[in-house]
């Protein structure tokens, strides 16, 4: 590099034709060496919250071993408190899933109708 401020031949920033590696040390025309995210790496990231929830559930189960009487319609019996509560949570989640699925199907049907109407109007105007 030149020691004079006007010496542009040795200054790579002043000479745009001179190929200079960027910050990562890769030439501008070279393919990127970045490591891309994969489905497997995303699965591992999603696994961490699942493991935390599993640990909380296990702590809950081991801290609530007391048997309770449970009745559902005509069925009755004794279960550990933790199992009864987990069963109630699972039933609630299944009901929410079922109702949410029905609502999604309704919305999809409405969208299809609106798109079908707009397609028909577009064909008539042509």
């Amino acid at each position: 590099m030149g020691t004079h401020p006007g010496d542009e031949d040795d200054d790579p920033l002043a000479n745009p034709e001179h190929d200079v590696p960027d910050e990562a040390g890769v030439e501008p025309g070279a393919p990127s060496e970045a490591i891309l995210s994969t489905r497997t790496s995303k699965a591992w990231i999603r696994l961490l919250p699942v493991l935390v929830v599993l640990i909380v559930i296990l702590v809950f189960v081991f801290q609530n071993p007391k048997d309770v009487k449970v009745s559902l319609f005509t069925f009755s019996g004794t279960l550990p408190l933790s199992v009864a509560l987990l069963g109630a949570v699972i039933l609630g989640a299944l009901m929410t899933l079922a109702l949410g699925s029905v609502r999604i199907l309704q919305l999809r049907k409405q969208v299809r109708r609106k798109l079908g109407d707009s397609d028909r109007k577009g064909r008539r105007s042509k």
Side-chain angles (χ1 to χ4, degrees), residues 38-105:
T38 62
R39 290 181 188 173
T40 307
S41 66
K42 290 177 184 176
W44 278 107
I45 292 170
R46 292 179 186 138
L47 186 64
L48 183 63
V50 172
L51 290 175
V52 170
V53 169
L54 181 64
I55 289 170
V56 170
I57 289 172
L58 286 174
V59 168
F60 174 75
V61 167
F62 288 126
Q63 287 185 347
N64 294 290
K66 183 180 175 184
D67 284 344
V68 293
K69 184 179 177 185
V70 177
S71 298
L72 180 65
F73 301 120
T74 60
F75 303 105
S76 65
T78 58
L79 290 172
L81 175 62
S82 57
V83 174
L85 290 174
L86 287 174
V89 167
I90 290 170
L91 283 175
L94 289 174
M95 288 175 57
T96 303
L97 180 66
L99 292 174
S101 297
V102 169
R103 181 63 181 149
I104 288 172
L105 290 174

Side-chain angles (χ1 to χ4, degrees), residues 116-126:
D117 290 344
S118 65
D119 287 344
R120 290 181 197 141
K121 288 178 185 176
R123 290 179 189 162
R124 288 180 191 166
S125 65
K126 287 184 181 181

